[in-house]
Structures are given as C-alpha cells and as structure tokens.
Amino acid sequence: MRTHDRAGTATRRRPGRRRRAVVPALCAAVVAGTTACTTVGNAPSAPDAPPARVAELLEQDYAQAATRALPSVVEISTGSGLGSGVVFDSAGHVLTNAHVVGSSTSFQVRLPSGTATYPAALVASWPPDDLAVIKLTGAPPVRPAAFGRSSDLVVGDIVIAMGNPFGLDSSVTDGIVSALGRTVSEPAGPNSPGAVLRDAIQTSAAINPGNSGGALVNLNGEVIGIPTLAAVNPEAGGAAPGIGFAVPSDLATDLARQIVDNGRVVDSRRAALGLSAVTVTDDSGQPAGVGVAAVQPGGPAANAGIRDGDIITMIDATEVKEAQQLQKALAEHRPGDVVRVTFVRPPGGPTTVPVTLGELPSG
C-alpha cells in the first residue's frame, strides 16, 4: 500500500500516568451487558460501574479532550488552499506541516473563537519532516496547546484528530493508535517536494484534506501528533479508510522549538550519506538504482570511496531502485550508524563498502 499526503516500537507507559482502557474492552462490556468493565478515563472499575455509566464517562472524556484542545487548533489559508495548525506558544507561533505552507511566506489564520482572520508570516519550513512554523501578528491572545509525549503512546490508545477537513472548521474524529514507529514515504505534490516521515504514528482516526497540520490528541487533551497524510489504496484509488499518519509530538516539538529559538532547524537528527542523488532507469525505462550526482567533499560517502556517477543499489539488505527508497532506508537510521552501501561503478560490477552516516544538513 502506498501513501499520499494531503489531508495526510511501542514503549512502556511512564509510571504515574493515568491508564485508559482501549475501545475493545469497553465494547465487550457493553455488548455482554455485564458490569465486568475495565477502568476508562474517570470511570470506576468493575463491579462498581454499569456499562451505561462507563460509556457515559468515556463520552465525558471525549468532550473534555475536545474542549481543552480545540481552542488551540487554527485554520491556515495560503491563498491557494486550506490547512490546519496548532498554537505552539503564547507569542503566536503556530506549528503546521511544510506542505500546508508550501512556497508561501504569508498567510491568513482564523482562530476557532470566531470568523475573523489574522495575518501570519513564515518563520521557517523543514520539508524533510514536513513541518513548519508560522507566526501570527495582530491577533488577540491565543491559547497554546498542551503537548504530550508521543513516546508514552502504546498501540490501542484512544486518539482524536482535530482540524479543518474540507474547510469544515473545528472538526473532530476519533480512533486508536494503530501502530508506532512507521517509516512512511510522502510523494511530492504541488506544494511539497515530498518527504519520508520517520517514527510516524499510524491511526484509525479519519484524516482528510484540510486536517494536515492539525492535532492528534489523547484523552487528556494533549497533542501527541501532527496529522500529515492518509494512505491510498493502489487498486481502488483514493484514500484507504482508517489508515492515516501523524508526525510524533516529540519530534515535532523538538524541531518547532529549534525554529522558534533560532529561526531554522539547527540539529536535524537525520542520517545522511553526504551526496545528492537521482533515480536512474534501465533500457525499459524502469527504475534501476540511485545515481550519485554529486558527493560532498569530506562527507560520509566520499570517505567511503563513493564517487560521482556511481549507482547505489542496496543499503544493507534493502534494495533501493529509486531516490525516495534511499531516503526511506536512511530514515530508519541515525547519524553515526554504520551501514553497508552496495553500488555499481560502470562498467564494473557491484562493490559494497561500510559507511558511517553523517547528519542531514540543517535548514
């Protein structure tokens, strides 16, 4: 299954964090008509709470999460499209997706509290992780979102997606965390050169055009991800229901803070080979490898003996036939990791060399 943008390893829970039951446990109790329910949000444990009371308390959790988070989710207009954003701080910085801002540097932002719009300017965009920060001017005081730790998530956690899908402001959809630690390719589009999302959160909460840059929220009303893209069914075409992806909050807030403090990302924490590359094709026009267009002098590839004109075909045991496949393979590593790169130097055969990865240059 491939993915498209446009809306858009589990860790142990930290001690002391309130545990919420997953949907299946609630449903089993309600269908069975028993009082044997696990604790959900504020709900007491069985046998104290009947199923109807558990459901009522879960509804209250949803409502309270929405009440807490929605005032921090804004609508962003670039003049050519709409997207969403999350208020990052009281100074008026707003976190969103790089593909939402595209090539624009000025925007109109509508707060959830009314119909008026306010100007905003681009602070910086970081396309490799599809994140950007803009700053409001002349707006009334804004409420910063509460950000939670995406590293505390486990598969099955209930989450809520908030944004402005299809221009329907302050919309809320629900689902669960379906998977963690995904590496997802986001193809290029009119407003984006494409990206490879690392450590992405997969969710069943509906993500549609306009949700990008909004908030994926836990039942405490904390933002734990930035909804970014939805999966596409390659056979039927169109979105694959129930499969969406979000940039984890730990990564998003780290990069956003760097942009706010420095005007740019200063520490990307992304692995790089130190070269520019293009997809090369065989005689039939099919992708056949990644051609090295230029090697950074003194960089990881150069130090390993890779030269301009070489064709990279594998990273470790992963075959790479296209430039984006190379990006995806690198996204699964960190600076300092050692990988084995296999390449062909025409007219010779394949050669494999160890390469100590460097860091992707910051913007």
Side-chain angles (χ1 to χ4, degrees), residues 286-327:
Q286 297 301 309
V290 180
V292 179
V295 175
Q296 174 190 341
N303 291 339
I306 298 173
R307 304 176 188 171
D308 297 0
D310 290 346
I311 301 173
I312 297 173
T313 58
M314 296 188 73
I315 300 292
D316 290 328
T318 301
E319 186 178 44
V320 292
K321 291 186 175 182
E322 303 179 56
Q324 194 170 57
Q325 290 177 338
L326 176 61
Q327 294 174 11

Coordinates of all heavy atoms in Angstrom, one line a residue, residues 286-327:
Q286 N 12.5 1.4 -16.5 CA 12.1 1.1 -15.2 C 13.3 1.5 -14.2 O 14.5 1.5 -14.6 CB 11.9 -0.4 -15.0 CG 10.7 -0.9 -15.8 CD 9.4 -0.3 -15.4 OE1 9.1 -0.2 -14.2 NE2 8.7 0.2 -16.4
P287 N 12.9 2.0 -13.0 CA 14.0 2.4 -12.0 C 14.9 1.2 -11.8 O 14.5 0.1 -11.6 CB 13.2 2.7 -10.8 CG 11.8 3.0 -11.3 CD 11.6 2.1 -12.5
A288 N 16.2 1.6 -11.8 CA 17.3 0.5 -11.7 C 18.3 0.8 -10.6 O 19.2 0.0 -10.3 CB 18.0 0.3 -13.0
G289 N 18.2 2.0 -10.0 CA 19.1 2.3 -8.9 C 19.2 3.8 -8.7 O 18.4 4.6 -9.3
V290 N 20.0 4.2 -7.8 CA 20.1 5.6 -7.4 C 21.5 6.2 -7.8 O 22.5 5.8 -7.3 CB 19.9 5.8 -5.9 CG1 20.0 7.3 -5.5 CG2 18.6 5.2 -5.5
G291 N 21.5 7.0 -8.8 CA 22.7 7.6 -9.4 C 23.2 8.7 -8.5 O 22.5 9.6 -8.0
V292 N 24.5 8.7 -8.2 CA 25.2 9.7 -7.4 C 25.5 10.9 -8.3 O 26.4 10.8 -9.2 CB 26.4 9.2 -6.7 CG1 27.1 10.2 -5.9 CG2 26.1 8.0 -5.9
A293 N 24.8 12.0 -8.1 CA 25.0 13.2 -8.9 C 26.2 14.0 -8.4 O 26.9 14.6 -9.2 CB 23.7 14.0 -9.0
A294 N 26.3 14.1 -7.1 CA 27.4 14.9 -6.5 C 27.7 14.3 -5.1 O 26.8 14.0 -4.4 CB 27.1 16.4 -6.5
V295 N 29.0 14.3 -4.8 CA 29.4 13.8 -3.5 C 30.0 15.0 -2.7 O 30.8 15.7 -3.2 CB 30.5 12.7 -3.6 CG1 31.0 12.3 -2.2 CG2 29.9 11.5 -4.3
Q296 N 29.6 15.1 -1.4 CA 30.1 16.2 -0.6 C 31.5 15.9 -0.2 O 31.8 14.8 0.4 CB 29.2 16.2 0.7 CG 29.7 17.2 1.7 CD 28.9 17.0 3.1 OE1 27.8 16.5 3.1 NE2 29.5 17.5 4.1
P297 N 32.4 16.8 -0.5 CA 33.8 16.5 -0.1 C 34.0 16.3 1.4 O 33.5 17.1 2.2 CB 34.5 17.8 -0.6 CG 33.7 18.4 -1.7 CD 32.3 18.0 -1.2
G298 N 34.7 15.3 1.7 CA 34.9 15.0 3.1 C 33.7 14.4 3.9 O 33.8 14.2 5.1
G299 N 32.6 14.2 3.1 CA 31.4 13.6 3.7 C 31.5 12.1 3.9 O 32.5 11.4 3.4
P300 N 30.5 11.5 4.4 CA 30.5 10.0 4.7 C 30.7 9.2 3.4 O 31.5 8.3 3.4 CB 29.1 9.8 5.3 CG 28.7 11.1 5.9 CD 29.2 12.1 5.0
A301 N 30.0 9.5 2.3 CA 30.1 8.8 1.1 C 31.5 8.9 0.5 O 32.1 8.0 0.1 CB 29.1 9.2 0.0
A302 N 32.0 10.2 0.5 CA 33.3 10.4 -0.1 C 34.4 9.7 0.7 O 35.3 9.1 0.1 CB 33.6 11.9 -0.1
N303 N 34.3 9.7 2.0 CA 35.2 9.0 2.9 C 35.2 7.5 2.7 O 36.2 6.8 2.9 CB 35.0 9.3 4.4 CG 35.3 10.7 4.7 OD1 36.0 11.4 4.0 ND2 34.7 11.2 5.8
A304 N 34.1 7.0 2.2 CA 34.0 5.5 1.9 C 34.4 5.2 0.5 O 34.3 4.0 0.1 CB 32.5 5.1 2.2
G305 N 34.7 6.1 -0.3 CA 35.2 5.9 -1.7 C 34.1 5.9 -2.7 O 34.3 5.6 -3.9
I306 N 32.9 6.4 -2.4 CA 31.8 6.5 -3.4 C 32.1 7.8 -4.2 O 32.4 8.9 -3.6 CB 30.4 6.6 -2.6 CG1 30.2 5.3 -1.9 CG2 29.3 6.8 -3.6 CD1 29.0 5.2 -1.0
R307 N 31.8 7.7 -5.5 CA 32.1 8.9 -6.3 C 30.9 9.3 -7.2 O 30.0 8.5 -7.3 CB 33.3 8.5 -7.3 CG 34.6 8.0 -6.7 CD 35.6 7.6 -7.8 NE 36.7 7.0 -7.2 CZ 37.7 6.4 -8.0 NH1 37.5 6.3 -9.3 NH2 38.7 5.8 -7.4
D308 N 31.0 10.5 -7.8 CA 30.0 10.9 -8.7 C 29.9 9.9 -9.9 O 30.9 9.4 -10.3 CB 30.4 12.3 -9.4 CG 30.5 13.4 -8.4 OD1 30.2 13.1 -7.2 OD2 30.8 14.5 -8.8
G309 N 28.7 9.6 -10.3 CA 28.5 8.6 -11.3 C 28.2 7.2 -10.9 O 27.8 6.3 -11.7
D310 N 28.6 6.9 -9.6 CA 28.2 5.5 -9.1 C 26.7 5.4 -9.0 O 26.0 6.4 -8.9 CB 28.9 5.3 -7.7 CG 30.4 5.2 -7.7 OD1 30.9 5.0 -8.9 OD2 31.0 5.4 -6.7
I311 N 26.3 4.1 -9.0 CA 24.8 3.8 -8.9 C 24.6 3.0 -7.7 O 25.1 1.8 -7.6 CB 24.3 3.1 -10.2 CG1 24.6 4.0 -11.4 CG2 22.8 2.8 -10.0 CD1 24.2 3.3 -12.7
I312 N 24.0 3.5 -6.7 CA 23.7 2.8 -5.4 C 22.5 1.9 -5.6 O 21.4 2.3 -6.2 CB 23.4 3.8 -4.3 CG1 24.6 4.6 -4.0 CG2 23.0 3.0 -3.0 CD1 24.4 5.7 -3.0
T313 N 22.6 0.6 -5.2 CA 21.6 -0.4 -5.5 C 21.1 -1.0 -4.2 O 20.0 -1.6 -4.2 CB 22.1 -1.5 -6.4 OG1 23.2 -2.1 -5.8 CG2 22.4 -1.0 -7.8
M314 N 21.8 -0.9 -3.1 CA 21.4 -1.5 -1.8 C 22.0 -0.7 -0.6 O 23.1 -0.2 -0.7 CB 21.8 -3.0 -1.7 CG 21.2 -3.9 -2.7 SD 21.6 -5.7 -2.3 CE 20.5 -5.9 -0.9
I315 N 21.2 -0.7 0.5 CA 21.6 -0.2 1.8 C 21.4 -1.4 2.7 O 20.3 -1.8 2.9 CB 20.8 1.0 2.3 CG1 21.0 2.2 1.3 CG2 21.3 1.4 3.7 CD1 22.4 2.8 1.3
D316 N 22.5 -1.9 3.2 CA 22.5 -3.2 4.0 C 21.7 -4.2 3.1 O 22.2 -4.5 2.0 CB 21.8 -3.0 5.3 CG 22.7 -2.2 6.3 OD1 23.9 -2.2 6.2 OD2 22.1 -1.4 7.1
A317 N 20.7 -4.8 3.6 CA 20.0 -5.8 2.8 C 18.8 -5.3 2.1 O 18.0 -6.0 1.5 CB 19.5 -7.0 3.7
T318 N 18.6 -3.9 2.1 CA 17.4 -3.3 1.5 C 17.8 -2.8 0.1 O 18.7 -2.0 -0.1 CB 16.9 -2.1 2.3 OG1 16.6 -2.6 3.6 CG2 15.7 -1.5 1.7
E319 N 17.0 -3.3 -0.9 CA 17.2 -2.9 -2.3 C 16.7 -1.5 -2.5 O 15.6 -1.2 -2.0 CB 16.5 -3.9 -3.3 CG 16.8 -3.6 -4.7 CD 16.1 -4.6 -5.6 OE1 15.0 -4.9 -5.4 OE2 16.8 -5.1 -6.6
V320 N 17.5 -0.6 -3.2 CA 17.0 0.7 -3.5 C 17.1 0.9 -5.0 O 18.1 0.8 -5.6 CB 17.8 1.8 -2.7 CG1 17.5 1.7 -1.2 CG2 19.3 1.7 -2.9
K321 N 15.9 1.2 -5.6 CA 15.9 1.5 -7.0 C 15.5 2.9 -7.4 O 15.7 3.3 -8.5 CB 14.9 0.5 -7.7 CG 15.3 -0.9 -7.7 CD 14.3 -1.8 -8.5 CE 14.8 -3.2 -8.6 NZ 13.9 -4.0 -9.5
E322 N 15.0 3.6 -6.3 CA 14.6 5.0 -6.5 C 15.2 5.9 -5.4 O 15.5 5.4 -4.3 CB 13.1 5.1 -6.6 CG 12.4 4.3 -7.6 CD 10.9 4.4 -7.6 OE1 10.4 5.6 -7.7 OE2 10.2 3.4 -7.4
A323 N 15.3 7.2 -5.7 CA 15.9 8.1 -4.7 C 15.1 8.1 -3.5 O 15.6 8.2 -2.4 CB 16.0 9.5 -5.3
Q324 N 13.7 8.0 -3.6 CA 12.9 8.0 -2.3 C 13.1 6.8 -1.5 O 13.0 6.8 -0.3 CB 11.4 8.3 -2.7 CG 10.6 8.6 -1.5 CD 9.2 9.1 -1.8 OE1 8.5 8.3 -2.4 NE2 8.8 10.3 -1.4
Q325 N 13.4 5.7 -2.2 CA 13.7 4.4 -1.4 C 15.0 4.6 -0.6 O 15.1 4.1 0.5 CB 13.8 3.2 -2.4 CG 12.4 2.8 -3.0 CD 12.6 1.7 -4.0 OE1 13.6 1.4 -4.5 NE2 11.5 1.0 -4.2
L326 N 15.9 5.3 -1.2 CA 17.2 5.6 -0.5 C 16.9 6.4 0.7 O 17.4 6.2 1.8 CB 18.2 6.3 -1.4 CG 19.5 6.7 -0.7 CD1 20.3 5.5 -0.2 CD2 20.3 7.5 -1.7
Q327 N 16.0 7.5 0.6 CA 15.7 8.3 1.7 C 15.0 7.5 2.8 O 15.2 7.7 4.0 CB 14.7 9.5 1.2 CG 15.4 10.4 0.3 CD 14.3 11.4 -0.3 OE1 13.2 11.5 0.2 NE2 14.7 12.2 -1.3

